[in-house]
Every structure is written in C-alpha cells, then in structure tokens.
Amino acid sequence: MAKIKSVYVCSECGYESPKWYGKCPGCENWNTMNEEIKESVKSAGAVSKRRVSSYSKPVLINEISTTDEERYDTGFSELNRVLGGGIVKGSLILLGGDPGIGKSTILMQICKNLNNLNILYISGEESKRQLKLRADRLGAVESNLTIMTETDVELVCEEIKNKKPDLVMIDSIQTMMIKELSSSAGSITQVRESTNLIMHTAKDFDTPVIVVGHVNKEGSIAGPKVLEHIVDTVLYFEGDKQMSCRILRAVKNRFGSTNEIGVFEMTDKGLREVENPSQMMLSGRPKGVSGTCVTCSLEGTRPILAEIQGLAAQSSYGNPRRMSTGFDYNRLSMLLAVLEKRAGYYFNNMDAYVNIVGGLRIDEPAVDLAICMALISSLKDTPIREDAAAFGEIGLAGEIRSVSQAQQRVNEAVRLGFKKIVIPVHNAKEIYCDNADIIGVRNLRQAFEALSE
Ligand code: TYD
Ligand code: MG
C-alpha cells in the first residue's frame, strides 16, 4: 500500500518542509507550520499544466490599449472610493473580515445595486434557501442574479467559461477545493491552488471576481500570505461586531490608493453608507467626564474625528497593565515613557488603558497628542473641555511635532462645532480659521492646560 506522505507548510509564507519546526525557517514566525498531505507529482502537475495552456504573446508596451479600462460602479460610493473608482474588469478582489462582520451581506447588496449586470454568486457555505432568504431581506431578488452552491473550483471555472457572467462572487475561498488535490478544503495548498485557478479564469475572460476570505485569530486572511500576492486588491472589513459601525479598508490595491476607508453602518436592511463618519464616531460621547479627548485623523483623503478614551487606574499588581484598542501597543508604551520622563506625569504604578471609540483603528502619529491628553485627563481626573479637540505627533523629547494636512483637520473639527483646537505650534502659523480658537502648543503641559481650562 502506498504510504501517505505528509509535509509541513507555513501558513504565513508557504514554506514547505518534511519536518515540523516551531519557528518557520522561511519567515521566522512561530507556530505557523501545519501538516498537509503531500500532493503526488501527477495531480499537482495536471493542475499546473492546465494553467500554462494559454500562452500570452509578448507585445510592445505602447501597443497595449488602456482606453477600455472599464470600472463597474458598485452603487456604494464608499466602496467605490476604497476600490479606487469601482470594480475594474478582470480584477480579482479579496474581501477579508471576521465572521459575521457583513461580507456576505455587502456582496448581496452589490448584486442588488448592479442589477443591470449578469452576476454569478457561488456559495460554499450557505444553502440556496438561506441565500434566497438573505436576498429577500435585502431586496436583491432580481433575475440578473444566478446562485450556485458548489465547492469544486473546476466546476465553478467551467461555469464562468460557459456563461461568461459580468461579475462573479465566491463566498468563501476556504470552502473551495480542487478535487485532484488530496488535502482538505481550507488547507494552504487548496486555498492557494484554487485562488490561482480562479485568477487565471478571471484574467482569461476579463471577468471581475470578488472572493471572500476568512481571517484567522491574528486577524490576517487565513491561508498563506501568498494569497495576498496573487490577487489584485485586498480589502478588509473591520469593526466591533457589537456596534453597528463597519470600516472597509484596502490593504493592497493595484488600481488605486490604499489609504482610503469606507464607513458603513449595519442596519436591519443591510449595510448603509455613512456619509458623515465624524458625527457617527462622536455620537454618545460622555459629557463632563475625565479621560476622553477628541482628535482628527486623516484616513486617505478624508479627515475623520474620533474620540480617544484613556483610563489610568491604581494597579494592584507589581507589573502594571497596559492595553490599547485601535492603537499600536508599542507606541502606547512609548507615549507613556515620554509622559513620565519628559512631562512628569507618572504612570509607573498605574494600569493604563486606551480605546479608540467606534471600532476605528488609527495608525497615524497625529493621534499621539489626544492619546496623551486622554491619559493625563484620567490621571488627574480633570475633564477636557467638551468643545475642544487636539492633534499632533509627539517626539521622544516630549515636543509636539507638526502633522500633514492640518488645515483639513481643523476644517473638519470646525464643521462639527468644535471651538477650541489645540495643534502643534508649527502648524498653527499657517492655519486660517475664523470660527474657532486655534492654539499652537510646544509641549504636553501647555497642551493639557489649553484643553482643560
Ligand atoms: P454576514 O454578511 O452573514 O457576515 P459574514 O458573511 O461576514 O460572516 O452578516 C451577518 C451579520 O449581519 C449577522 O450577525 C446579522 C447581520 N445582519 C443585519 O444586521 N442586517 C441584515 O440585513 C443582514 C442581512 C445581516
Ligand atoms: Mg458569510
């Protein structure tokens, strides 16, 4: 009897080895090697042979026509912006996100909005009845939409070849499999090979395909990182499931910029676009309490106001806890060190928590100032004025450094009725503003005095 050979494959970088390692020799990540059944040369060869069957002739670059780069308007301006203007024909889009965040819902709503296109929706997760019920609820029962519940990628590609739909949706890539490969659905080999096959079909027939990908515990798309390299666009759906706000972010886009975000709200009729995200982020803000500060962050081309909450509490352990939600943990540690060493606010026996309200994640250093202000406010139990907002980057010397696009940030804060805006002193010189006090500050103490008086 033939012995089944297994191989260990890294879920991050796809490194293969006959032996298990705790730390992947390829990408040096820990605990990422998973056992898989080794494919026989015959079956793996058959799959790749099919792939090289279409030969692409070399052409001069100036002979390639780009005038027909066509984009489909998804009917959601928030989504169009994240995609760089709509769905490009022949592109492969990967949509990732936690379970229950609304991936299947947004796909169904796109079907509803694009009711002039022929759409093929393939689901490997739900039954036809379940899909019909969701479509009913979202008002997407139209004759342009064909539902297929199938997990065999080759049959799916065959269907695309025969019917030539205008748009294909696959929910989800982890349920898809190639029969010839012996590993189970969702394994690294299956996910990688299925995506490859789908990608080639998409390019051959110029059909755009949206593929749903599940995310693992760490929040990245399950399956090797190579998956993100194969596709043209990677979108992530984020947000706190308990709250209605959902944020769509592009982490890779061959057809547009990656720093735009789209904001949606989950309602009983599906996802709704949020045109005024700042207002939504600030709704329900507590009044007159310490430990909260409003900031203005720039997401792509759009300024968004966000509430930062900080809590400093006496620690009962020798090693105080630090926790941050929506903000980089290491940067929080650095800010706490700056607060102690440069400004004399001591957190050494305090637990410190930081939270960006609304499920927003901000990586921009411009929120540093508001984070420090929220923490100082909690430490001193002194509230920050309700009509005040602050932004600025903090350097290791405790100085407040200027940030880009200050005027745009100030305008957004003024639009939402803020009357006192504390900003870096270098930015303050060039700000033009009539309806609010602009206060330029050099250090943390000055900033806190200005915000709390
Ligand atoms: P779903 O799109 O199935 O999530 P995913 O495909 O990302 O796993 O969304 C599921 C959640 O959305 C579920 O908890 C119910 C909620 N929901 C609404 O609140 N309103 C709606 O109209 C729909 C269709 C779903
Ligand atoms: Mg789903």
Side-chain angles (χ1 to χ4, degrees), residues 86-151:
I87 302 174
V88 177
K89 266 190 156 185
S91 66
L92 182 57
I93 299 166
L94 181 63
L95 174 65
D98 287 333
I101 200 90
K103 301 181 293 295
S104 310
T105 309
I106 198 166
L107 290 190
M108 201 54 100
Q109 284 185 280
I110 297 172
C111 296
K112 175 188 168 195
N113 294 347
L114 286 173
N115 55 11
N116 52 338
L117 297 186
N118 234 328
I119 302 176
L120 176 64
Y121 187 114
I122 299 127
S123 179
E125 302 196 333
E126 289 161 294
S127 68
K128 291 198 176 79
R129 215 181 92 81
Q130 271 175 309
L131 290 166
K132 171 84 193 275
L133 285 174
R134 177 181 291 121
D136 253 339
R137 182 213 268 261
L138 297 170
V141 184
E142 307 265 356
S143 55
N144 67 314
L145 179 59
T146 315
I147 300 284
M148 186 178 175
T149 46
E150 182 55 67
T151 55

Side-chain angles (χ1 to χ4, degrees), residues 144-268:
N144 67 314
L145 179 59
T146 315
I147 300 284
M148 186 178 175
T149 46
E150 182 55 67
T151 55
D152 187 336
V153 188
E154 293 179 74
L155 293 181
V156 167
C157 291
E158 201 60 33
E159 182 71 17
I160 298 173
K161 212 180 284 176
N162 295 337
K163 298 276 166 61
K164 302 212 173 46
D166 300 315
L167 176 62
V168 178
M169 294 175 177
I170 299 181
D171 191 1
S172 64
I173 191 68
Q174 276 83 11
T175 58
M176 294 294 142
M177 57 189 297
I178 294 178
K179 284 263 162 63
E180 287 164 53
L181 305 180
S182 39
S183 37
S184 57
S187 70
I188 295 143
T189 319
Q190 285 286 9
V191 168
R192 189 176 52 202
E193 294 304 317
S194 306
T195 314
N196 253 323
L197 203 59
I198 293 166
M199 201 261 299
H200 284 271
T201 315
K203 303 287 170 208
D204 284 353
F205 298 98
D206 217 13
T207 312
V209 182
I210 306 180
V211 175
V212 167
H214 290 178
V215 297
N216 56 21
K217 276 207 301 297
E218 290 82 38
S220 59
I221 290 175
K225 265 273 177 295
V226 277
L227 193 62
E228 297 191 4
H229 296 305
I230 302 173
V231 302
D232 296 309
T233 303
V234 182
L235 304 180
Y236 272 98
F237 225 162
E238 314 169 336
D240 195 338
K241 245 183 295 161
Q242 308 328 325
M243 309 217 324
S244 58
C245 174
R246 301 281 188 274
I247 290 150
L248 193 65
R249 194 186 288 277
V251 292
K252 167 182 176 180
N253 195 353
R254 288 188 180 144
F255 309 107
S257 110
T258 51
N259 43 22
E260 296 290 350
I261 64 164
V263 184
F264 292 87
E265 186 186 8
M266 184 61 100
T267 68
D268 56 349

Side-chain angles (χ1 to χ4, degrees), residues 61-94:
I61 191 159
N62 51 14
E63 285 170 9
I64 302 171
S65 127
T66 49
T67 45
D68 54 349
E69 188 209 79
E70 219 182 291
R71 289 182 186 256
Y72 293 128
D73 178 352
T74 59
F76 284 124
S77 57
E78 297 285 309
L79 176 60
N80 287 346
R81 195 184 36 244
V82 175
L83 288 170
I87 302 174
V88 177
K89 266 190 156 185
S91 66
L92 182 57
I93 299 166
L94 181 63

Side-chain angles (χ1 to χ4, degrees), residues 237-341:
F237 225 162
E238 314 169 336
D240 195 338
K241 245 183 295 161
Q242 308 328 325
M243 309 217 324
S244 58
C245 174
R246 301 281 188 274
I247 290 150
L248 193 65
R249 194 186 288 277
V251 292
K252 167 182 176 180
N253 195 353
R254 288 188 180 144
F255 309 107
S257 110
T258 51
N259 43 22
E260 296 290 350
I261 64 164
V263 184
F264 292 87
E265 186 186 8
M266 184 61 100
T267 68
D268 56 349
K269 299 233 163 32
L271 290 156
R272 194 179 62 80
E273 293 182 87
V274 177
E275 274 121 37
N276 195 344
S278 298
Q279 198 172 26
M280 178 167 171
M281 295 297 165
L282 297 186
S283 63
R285 193 154 60 100
K287 304 238 149 78
V289 289
S290 63
T292 124
C293 181
V294 172
T295 191
C296 189
S297 121
L298 210 65
E299 297 289 341
T301 53
R302 193 162 55 159
I304 292 183
L305 296 191
E307 181 193 347
I308 313 280
Q309 295 192 328
L311 182 68
Q314 200 72 40
S315 178
S316 40
Y317 303 100
N319 212 356
R321 277 188 71 128
R322 271 87 175 86
M323 217 170 88
S324 72
T325 314
F327 185 72
D328 182 42
Y329 177 84
N330 293 325
R331 191 145 184 105
L332 171 64
S333 306
M334 183 211 98
L335 292 177
L336 286 168
V338 171
L339 280 170
E340 286 201 13
K341 179 87 181 172

